[in-house]
């Protein structure tokens, strides 16, 4: 129920709305299908259209809020030929960055912050990534949280300096 969802979001009176997408899209295979369940001729184009639709719903519900999209983390694989990384992650990131740029949202590239392709493999070895090679551990999540906070605050300080 879009109207109820918008009312609920509006009632929260957020100063900042952060949407985090990508992890499930990389792993679930649904990108190959359009909204009617038919094999898509343009899966990444469909992805951008659907994501922009969600972003527009947020914008309409809370037009005064700051808006940020967070991309997926790296996801490891046992395939050394792929650099021990799921090759779909950077593709999702690229399309999300397009959406954020087009709609004027901030974008935090979690994939790049982790170290890019192959980084989850390293994170697992260091104890920051779970053995599922997708999710961070508690300490890894703490590291990502600090990275995101620092990136957000750095961008905010740059914004304030520009305003002067």
């Amino acid at each position: 129920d879009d109207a109820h969802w918008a009312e609920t979001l509006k009632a929260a009176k957020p100063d900042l709305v952060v949407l985090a997408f990508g992890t499930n899209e990389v792993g679930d295979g649904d990108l190959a299908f359009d909204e009617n369940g038919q094999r898509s001729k343009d899966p990444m184009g469909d992805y951008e259209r659907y994501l922009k639709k969600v972003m527009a719903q947020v914008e309409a519900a809370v037009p005064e809020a700051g808006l940020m999209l967070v991309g997926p983390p790296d996801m490891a694989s046992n395939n050394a030929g792929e650099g021990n990384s799921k090759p779909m992650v950077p593709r999702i990131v690229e399309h999300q960055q397009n959406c954020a740029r087009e709609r004027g949202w901030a974008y935090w590239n979690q994939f790049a912050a982790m170290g890019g392709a192959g980084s989850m493999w390293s994170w697992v070895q260091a104890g920051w990534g779970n053995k599922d090679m997708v999710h961070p551990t508690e300490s890894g999540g703490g590291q990502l949280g600090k990275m995101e906070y620092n990136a957000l605050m750095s961008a905010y300080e740059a914004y304030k300096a520009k305003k002067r």
Side-chain angles (χ1 to χ4, degrees):
D1 181 350
D2 290 345
H4 176 74
W5 179 86
E7 285 176 35
T8 302
L9 183 56
K10 216 178 281 188
K13 299 178 183 166
D15 292 316
L16 175 66
V17 176
V18 179
L19 300 181
F21 287 110
T23 304
N24 292 336
E25 290 89 334
V26 168
D28 68 12
D30 283 344
L31 288 177
F33 300 94
D34 66 17
E35 62 188 1
N36 300 316
Q38 302 299 311
R39 187 160 282 292
S40 175
K41 292 181 174 81
D42 181 20
M44 296 314 296
D46 288 344
Y47 179 76
E48 281 199 26
R49 284 185 286 281
Y50 301 147
L51 181 55
K52 288 176 193 171
K53 183 178 176 184
V54 171
M55 294 167 83
Q57 288 177 302
V58 173
E59 293 163 10
V62 288
E64 299 301 315
L67 305 164
M68 184 168 82
L69 181 62
V70 174
D74 185 39
M75 291 173 233
S77 76
N78 287 318
N79 187 342
E82 294 176 343
N84 296 109
S85 190
K86 301 262 184 196
M88 190 64 177
V89 177
R91 289 188 65 206
I92 291 283
V93 167
E94 177 185 347
H95 288 276
Q96 288 179 338
Q97 287 173 320
N98 292 342
C99 292
R101 189 172 28 260
E102 186 176 310
R103 299 214 59 91
W105 286 42
Y107 185 78
W108 188 59
N109 189 337
Q110 187 174 198
F111 173 71
M114 289 178 70
S119 58
M120 181 55 89
W121 184 260
S122 301
W123 278 49
V124 170
Q125 308 314 310
W128 285 2
N130 274 302
K131 292 186 185 341
D132 69 1
M133 299 192 288
V134 173
H135 298 94
T137 59
E138 183 178 345
S139 59
Q143 290 300 319
L144 286 171
K146 288 175 192 170
M147 290 174 180
E148 185 173 353
Y149 172 80
N150 289 333
L152 189 59
M153 294 312 295
S154 177
Y156 179 60
E157 292 300 326
Y159 168 79
K160 287 192 321 188
K162 254 189 194 176
K163 289 291 220 179
R164 292 182 192 148

